[in-house]
Amino acid sequence: MLSRLSMSVRPCVSVCRWVHTKEKGKPLMLNPRTNKGMAFTLKERQILGIHGLLPPKIETQDTQAMRFQKNLKKMSDPLQKYIYLMGIQERNERLFYRVLMEDIEALMPIVYTPTVGLKYREKYCTFNDDIQGTASVALAGLLSAQRVVGKSITEHKVLFLGAGEAALGIANLIVMAMMESGMSQAEARKKIWMFDKYGLLVKGRAYETDSNQEGFVHPDPGDVKSFLDAVNVIKPTAIIGVSGAGRLFTHDVIRAMGSLNEHPIIFALSNPTAKAECTAEDAYSLTQGRCLFASGSPFAPVSLEDGRILTPGQGNNAYIFPGVALAVILSGVRHISDTVFLEAAKTLADQLTDEELSQGRLYPPLSNIREVSLQMAIKVRLCVDTNATCFLSEPLTKTLYVLCTGDAVRVFKGNGGTTRYNIIHRSLKTGFIFLLTPYPTKYLVNTRMFRTNTEMFRLSQPCVVLGGIPVHTEYRRLFLL
């Protein structure tokens, strides 16, 4: 009963994958991937040998989710919520992801912890999310800010507070973006300055610099003793805080940025909230709402004196790694280059609408994370194909390949034969199942039958039938229902 045939349908090749669960009885219930708790039906309990191991009551997953959400709302301490949610994940993964996806904006900051990748990128297919993921989401914020500032990435001058791995990761990705726009590496590095606990990274300073920092060591620009001095002397268009040292973007620093720039870019990326370089309220209020602000920790919307309500952008790595990981899995790539994260940053910035930008956001709402990750996976897959690092055959329709759910619908042909076609999307809002067929037929909404010029087909369940390969652009909009 738990066996499932999953078929990935491509224009030229079909691949069958068997997924079989042999566990029964207590082992099945102790496995969070197969356990459904009281959501097992009576028939399932009898077949799987778990009848009597559960309370006699049968609950649907809807009821389970409603109960867990009700319990979560009673909790005010984020740590208590985290422990409660992790308890669900350890017992019932399906329910955990159901609860998480229904309120992802509120729960993601609770369950999310940056994953530190190993330093084996040349031997294994791995990446460092703290360095590369943070760099990608920070660059995406800068690219989004360009639409307000009206300047190319090459016209920015960036001053970092902090010169560790996170700062270097962001700085190197910014350099890559500038080089892609036609600037040399040397010229791009001149646009980036760093200030650490010993002061500005300049030639001849008393404290040694790391070899990784050498590219961002510049001639001494003058008498700079504090970060405020650095802002006034260097005159950056953007300041990025990754120091983890608390409120070092002082009121004077923020005011100075506001006087130097019509739209100052202020990124306080240190976590947790208590270690952020400044608050969203300070950044917005001290610049009269002109600044473009992003933070590593979530901040509430800020109401200004003129009545505007601005929503600060949270530079969360969760915008990056799901789409990148999906693309890596689909492509079979063996090495993840920094170009992947440059492409991911550009894709993330492209997902921000003008309306969201006008609200003060530099990133799409986290509730859109699934669509953002999908688009990112498609673009990153194209990127690795272009750079010849993909080790799997290239599908002709990458959008469909990424959209594929892995489930299939049985199709009965008029001549008595049967086949299975891949489900490319299952709409959560309408319940519709979108099915692609290779036959050139118009799309039919929620039907059990469709006809071509020569044959009649009957489906095992109602589907939205999309005919022909590739799926046309107008059909792509249907997937967002």
Side-chain angles (χ1 to χ4, degrees):
M1 182 170 181
L2 292 179
S3 298
R4 184 176 69 180
L5 175 64
S6 178
M7 179 177 291
S8 177
V9 178
R10 303 185 195 176
C12 302
V13 64
S14 297
V15 179
C16 295
R17 296 176 298 171
W18 286 93
V19 178
H20 184 67
T21 300
K22 296 182 179 179
E23 291 178 340
K24 289 187 177 182
K26 191 174 180 180
L28 181 142
M29 293 183 59
L30 292 176
N31 186 342
R33 300 187 67 181
T34 55
N35 181 35
K36 297 195 295 185
M38 290 193 292
F40 285 108
T41 65
L42 179 60
K43 187 176 181 180
E44 287 174 329
R45 296 180 188 202
Q46 292 171 337
I47 292 174
L48 297 172
I50 58 175
H51 192 55
L53 298 180
L54 288 166
K57 183 179 179 181
I58 296 175
E59 285 186 343
T60 65
Q61 191 182 73
D62 289 342
T63 304
Q64 290 177 321
M66 192 180 303
R67 185 174 70 251
F68 278 107
Q69 288 165 346
K70 186 177 180 181
N71 290 340
L72 274 173
K73 289 178 180 177
K74 294 178 182 178
M75 303 176 188
S76 57
D77 181 17
L79 183 58
Q80 187 181 11
K81 289 184 179 181
Y82 173 81
I83 294 171
Y84 184 63
L85 284 164
M86 291 303 103
I88 302 174
Q89 187 184 29
E90 290 171 1
R91 300 191 306 273
N92 188 335
E93 278 195 2
R94 294 185 186 186
L95 181 60
F96 169 78
Y97 287 110
R98 164 73 181 271
V99 172
L100 179 64
M101 292 308 302
E102 286 186 350
D103 196 9
I104 193 166
E105 285 200 85
L107 297 181
M108 182 62 82
I110 294 172
V111 303
Y112 171 70
T113 301
T115 304
V116 181
L118 300 173
K119 311 303 181 181
Y120 297 111
R121 60 183 305 192
E122 302 302 329
K123 297 180 71 174
Y124 303 101
C125 185
T126 185
F127 66 91
N128 188 313
D129 188 51
D130 261 1
I131 298 174
Q132 294 166 295
T134 299
S136 189
V137 79
L139 176 60
L142 282 178
L143 296 176
S144 297
Q146 285 183 181
R147 290 157 59 179
V148 177
V149 177
K151 292 182 178 180
S152 165
I153 188 73
T154 58
E155 298 179 67
H156 284 291
K157 187 180 288 185
V158 184
L159 173 61
F160 283 87
L161 179 59
E165 289 184 338
L168 291 169
I170 299 171
N172 284 315
L173 201 61
I174 293 173
V175 168
M176 285 185 66
M178 290 180 172
M179 291 172 65
E180 190 180 56
S181 297
M183 184 174 277
S184 69
Q185 184 186 63
E187 288 298 317
R189 286 177 169 176
K190 289 178 181 178
K191 297 276 188 176
I192 296 173
W193 293 76
M194 294 188 178
F195 189 100
D196 64 9
K197 61 183 178 180
Y198 303 119
L200 206 59
L201 262 66
V202 293
K203 293 178 180 178
R205 77 170 187 171
Y207 298 93
E208 291 186 6
T209 55
D210 187 272
S211 59
N212 295 319
Q213 299 170 331
E214 287 298 326
F216 304 102
V217 176
H218 304 305
D220 196 334
D223 189 20
V224 175
K225 295 180 180 178
S226 66
F227 189 72
L228 177 59
D229 291 339
V231 169
N232 288 323
V233 171
I234 294 168
K235 297 179 171 51
T237 57
I239 54 174
I240 299 178
V242 282
S243 64
R247 305 289 194 259
L248 295 182
F249 288 175
T250 63
H251 288 195
D252 288 338
V253 166
I254 297 170
R255 289 193 186 99
M257 285 295 294
S259 65
L260 291 168
N261 303 280
E262 181 181 358
H263 294 289
I265 299 171
I266 300 174
F267 288 0
L269 300 182
S270 292
N271 285 310
T273 306
K275 293 189 176 181
E277 283 73 18
C278 69
T279 65
E281 186 174 6
D282 283 347
Y284 287 131
S285 61
L286 294 171
T287 60
Q288 300 77 49
R290 293 181 290 114
C291 84
L292 297 162
F293 177 82
S295 61
S297 300
F299 281 100
V302 175
S303 298
L304 301 178
E305 292 181 356
D306 58 10
R308 286 183 295 159
I309 299 177
L310 297 178
T311 304
Q314 186 191 354
N316 196 321
N317 297 15
Y319 281 115
I320 302 298
F321 66 76
V324 168
L326 178 56
V328 167
I329 292 169
L330 293 177
S331 65
V333 66
R334 296 178 185 175
H335 173 73
I336 307 174
S337 68
D338 288 330
T339 307
V340 163
F341 295 95
L342 177 60
E343 193 64 36
K346 292 190 291 185
T347 305
L348 177 56
D350 288 343
Q351 299 300 301
L352 183 72
T353 66
D354 291 338
E355 181 182 357
E356 291 162 354
L357 187 63
S358 68
Q359 297 168 356
R361 296 181 183 270
L362 293 179
Y363 305 99
L366 201 56
S367 56
N368 295 351
I369 185 66
R370 299 181 80 176
E371 178 61 21
V372 169
S373 298
L374 169 64
Q375 294 301 323
M376 190 175 295
I378 294 168
K379 294 293 180 66
V380 171
R381 174 70 204 265
L382 285 168
C383 172
V384 296
D385 286 347
T386 303
N387 288 286
T389 56
C390 178
F391 286 85
L392 295 183
S393 58
E394 179 180 352
L396 296 180
T397 52
K398 294 184 178 65
T399 301
L400 290 180
Y401 183 68
V402 174
L403 279 168
C404 163
T405 66
D407 295 330
V409 169
R410 187 171 294 278
V411 180
F412 302 89
K413 298 182 179 181
N415 60 11
T418 65
T419 186
R420 295 171 71 88
Y421 291 139
N422 224 43
I423 295 173
I424 56 175
H425 186 66
R426 191 187 300 270
S427 171
L428 297 178
K429 290 186 179 179
T430 65
F432 286 174
I433 295 172
F434 292 83
L435 178 71
L436 175 72
T437 79
Y439 300 100
T441 180
K442 292 183 178 179
Y443 74 87
L444 306 172
V445 178
N446 219 26
T447 182
R448 276 187 178 270
M449 302 182 72
F450 68 94
R451 181 192 296 273
T452 67
N453 294 335
T454 57
E455 287 188 90
M456 175 74 77
F457 296 85
R458 184 165 56 86
L459 307 174
S460 61
Q461 54 188 307
C463 298
V464 177
V465 179
L466 307 176
I469 296 176
V471 170
H472 300 300
T473 304
E474 59 266 26
Y475 293 150
R476 179 65 184 88
R477 291 198 296 270
L478 291 173
F479 302 154
L480 304 181
L481 288 174

